[in-house]
Amino acid sequence: MRLPLGIARPCTSPSASKHLPLHFPTPLFRRFLSSKFPVLTYSQQPNSQYSPHVLCAITSNSAKLGKKWMEYQGINNWEGLLDPLDDNLRSEILRYGQFVEAAYRSFDFDPSSPTYATSKFSRNSLLAKTGIGETGYRMTKNLRATCGIQFPHWVDRAPSWASTQSSWIGYVAVCQDKEVITRLGRRDVVIAYRGTATCLEWVENLRVKLSCLSDGIEESKAPMVESGFLSLYTSCRGTGPSLQNMVRGEVERVLEMYGDEPLSFTITGHSLGAALATLTAYDIKCSCGNAAMVTVISFGGPRVGNRSFRFQLENRGTKILRIVNSDDLITKVPGFVIDNNDVSESQAVRVAGVPSWLQKSVESTEWVYADVGRELRLSSKSLSKRDVATCHELSTYLELVNGFVSSTCPFKTTAKKMLNKHEREKLGLMR
């Protein structure tokens, strides 16, 4: 069965929003943006420095899920686990966050380097050399994403930071350690994506018009996603495969090898990587059906598609947990969003903050997005540094997850002390 993801076919509607995703542009592009928009500050690379509390939680990795593993993978939509945040779920979220961190640390951000936009480490050494600790997983596949925008031939002679169309975006890793498999209750397969890093990925981020996932379906009823995200997922260059085809090939290989045992696919990513993780989950469920449980753990992701896209995800049993910082601009774009997460596909759209007399006009433009899955909402208001870039950094998200207790105690000094004590007790450092 093949997923009906063809060439991105944008709607004729206006741009989805004047607010556009702000990820990590290349140094020269960053300087240009800083000169035009001095109020905004950016980081060339995401901040990789964790607090001691986060390091303690990440390195422990001691959650024993056993027969309850499907509950923590979202089989019941994480009911009763998010508020207050269950300690085992916290540990799992932080554990998957470190796989995304590994993708960032592996990427060569230096445009003057001959290996720019590739992985700095080999497949066999990546997880070890990124310094994220022993995971019990073995990396099996490098993944690349390609910009699908057609540029004039002279662009190929431009500097690498401006002309690199295909770049390393992440990897697939399969759990091989028997003790870890026993602790997790199944063999887990991780697909991890970094966020935006190249100029042309930035350009794709700005293509916020919705595109149909398949031809032959009335646009008002078809699942649609942001054009740039779909382009990065489905585009190829020359004889190189698309990200979509690389993922499909590796998933089929893994299913052939381990399909007769408890198996899960956990797709995780930050920023652009969060959007690609959602598309990947949709793709796997469409092409492989119910062969394995598919879960997304996303950090700081933008909106991806319309309500029909959300309906298709839910109908196929895809489980998505979005980690959202309420102070992060990226999670609020692009487009409008419907205000009822439980609305069915056949019900009329209600757009948050839009007067009823504008309702019909909004529907006709077809640039209404829909949030997907369950949300763990955090806030960085308690942090000392809260500029645009910091609120979006992966390290901020991991620190907030580690400090979050509940909606009534989002992030307090007493909560951090309590969690630090709990983690030390689990490590046997306290009597």
Side-chain angles (χ1 to χ4, degrees), residues 128-199:
K129 289 188 174 181
T130 51
I132 64 172
E134 181 57 46
T135 64
Y137 288 68
R138 181 173 62 85
M139 180 178 163
T140 62
K141 183 72 174 180
N142 283 296
L143 300 175
R144 299 182 66 84
T146 301
C147 172
I149 301 175
Q150 298 299 316
F151 292 100
H153 292 297
W154 58 263
V155 171
D156 293 334
R157 298 191 294 272
S160 60
W161 65 267
S163 61
T164 301
Q165 285 195 279
S166 181
S167 58
W168 187 87
I169 194 76
Y171 60 92
V172 181
V174 180
C175 187
Q176 301 287 3
D177 186 277
K178 292 183 179 179
E179 290 185 4
V180 178
I181 292 174
T182 300
R183 179 174 63 79
L184 296 178
R186 85 285 185 190
R187 187 184 298 273
D188 186 44
V189 181
V190 167
I191 302 176
Y193 294 121
R194 60 165 175 80
T196 307
T198 71
C199 183

Side-chain angles (χ1 to χ4, degrees), residues 1-2 245-259 265 284 287-288:
M1 178 179 180
R2 293 184 61 82
N245 287 336
M246 283 187 281
V247 168
R248 285 182 177 180
E250 186 64 9
V251 168
E252 290 173 359
R253 188 189 70 82
V254 170
L255 286 174
E256 185 175 347
M257 290 186 65
Y258 307 112
F265 287 92
I284 293 174
S287 58
C288 300

Side-chain angles (χ1 to χ4, degrees), residues 420-431:
N420 188 37
K421 177 181 177 181
H422 179 69
E423 292 298 335
R424 285 187 288 149
E425 286 176 343
K426 289 198 295 184
L427 289 172
L429 300 179
M430 293 186 66
R431 298 297 180 186

Side-chain angles (χ1 to χ4, degrees), residues 319-348:
K319 302 302 177 180
I320 300 175
L321 179 59
R322 294 181 297 112
I323 319 300
V324 174
N325 178 4
S326 59
D327 304 302
D328 183 1
L329 171 66
I330 306 308
T331 63
K332 299 175 174 63
V333 294
F336 291 103
V337 63
I338 59 178
D339 61 1
N340 181 3
N341 196 51
D342 297 321
V343 68
S344 69
E345 187 183 29
S346 61
Q347 288 178 283

